[in-house]
């Protein structure tokens, strides 16, 4: 009987060790190598540098809260008093529809936005968080909603900003995968490149 157990156990241990090496070591190293060789920028986080300094990433959101910039959607990743968008704390808020804390936060955001742009409905993605808390994109409607506020803060023509937003819209992949979206980081970089002109 002892021989039967050892003869059955040996192949199981060998296969476990083999697959641990193949799938736990060889496969991840191969995928990392292929990613670094074929897509080095994406494999390293799609980081954007300026004057030799990393200023952000096109695939990980960051908080823009100044009136001079297009704002991102709220983030539940990390401390809310620090704007969220903590890459080490990626998650949603886990607050359900009956949560008073969620209701109060959304109401406060709605009131703030309606005070800046009265009489217009606030797009839902400007007051709701994404599942990851690190979403870099907003809907085109959310970007256009902010045009008048940003134009006032920067002394720019609203029509120029509408054209900037229209030129920043990314279409769904292959025409049907995903939604139309605007990358807030890229939009704000283009915004900084515009020269301020006084509004008549």
């Amino acid at each position: 009987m002892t021989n039967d157990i050892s003869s059955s156990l040996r192949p199981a241990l060998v296969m476990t060790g083999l697959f641990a090496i193949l799938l736990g070591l060889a496969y991840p190293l191969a995928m990392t190598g292929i990613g670094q060789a074929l897509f080095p920028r994406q494999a390293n986080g799609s980081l954007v540098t300026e004057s030799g300094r990393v200023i952000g990433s096109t695939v990980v959101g960051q908080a823009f809260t100044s009136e001079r910039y297009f704002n991102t959607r709220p983030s539940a990743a990390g401390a809310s008093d620090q704007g969220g968008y903590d890459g080490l704390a990626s998650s949603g808020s886990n607050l359900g529809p009956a949560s008073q804390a969620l209701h109060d936060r959304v109401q406060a955001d709605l009131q703030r936005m309606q005070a800046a742009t009265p009489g217009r409905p606030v797009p839902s993605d400007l007051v709701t968080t994404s599942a990851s808390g690190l979403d870099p994109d907003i809907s085109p409607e959310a970007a256009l909603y902010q045009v008048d506020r940003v134009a006032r803060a920067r002394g720019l023509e609203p029509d120029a900003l509408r054209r900037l937003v229209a030129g920043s819209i990314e279409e769904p992949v292959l025409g049907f995968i995903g939604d139309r979206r605007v990358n807030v980081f890229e939009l704000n970089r283009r915004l900084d490149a515009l020269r301020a002109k006084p509004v008549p």
Side-chain angles (χ1 to χ4, degrees), residues 139-155:
S139 65
E141 295 76 22
L144 289 168
Y145 177 84
Q146 301 179 67
V147 161
D148 291 337
R149 172 184 54 78
V150 175
R152 278 194 308 272
R154 288 190 174 244

Side-chain angles (χ1 to χ4, degrees), residues 62-73 82-83 85 112-113 116-117 126 138 142-143 145-155 161 184 187-188 191-192:
Q62 61 190 65
F64 289 95
T65 55
S66 167
E67 294 296 303
R68 294 177 48 80
Y69 288 101
F70 288 91
N71 297 161
T72 51
R73 64 190 301 175
Q82 296 173 5
Y85 287 99
R112 179 177 48 82
M113 289 182 188
T117 314
L126 289 178
I138 57 175
Y145 177 84
Q146 301 179 67
V147 161
D148 291 337
R149 172 184 54 78
V150 175
R152 278 194 308 272
R154 288 190 174 244
L161 290 189
V184 179
L187 177 61
N188 283 332
L191 176 63
D192 278 340

Side-chain angles (χ1 to χ4, degrees), residues 2-19:
T2 307
N3 286 341
D4 288 343
I5 292 173
S6 63
S7 65
S8 299
L9 195 56
R10 188 178 303 116
L13 292 174
V14 168
M15 293 306 289
T16 300
L18 175 65
F19 279 105

Side-chain angles (χ1 to χ4, degrees), residues 41 44-50 52-64 136 183-186 189:
R41 184 175 165 279
N44 290 310
S46 300
L47 300 176
V48 177
T49 57
E50 203 170 84
R53 188 173 65 92
V54 174
I55 60 168
S57 166
T58 59
V59 295
V60 177
Q62 61 190 65
F64 289 95
N183 185 293
V184 179
F185 177 71
E186 292 289 2
R189 290 189 72 214

Side-chain angles (χ1 to χ4, degrees), residues 133-180:
L134 303 175
D135 193 345
D137 303 320
I138 57 175
S139 65
E141 295 76 22
L144 289 168
Y145 177 84
Q146 301 179 67
V147 161
D148 291 337
R149 172 184 54 78
V150 175
R152 278 194 308 272
R154 288 190 174 244
L156 292 168
E157 291 282 357
D159 285 344
L161 290 189
R162 286 188 191 92
R163 287 192 297 273
L164 184 71
V165 169
S168 300
I169 295 173
E170 298 175 28
E171 297 295 333
V173 178
L174 301 177
F176 67 94
I177 300 173
D179 295 320
R180 298 176 80 228

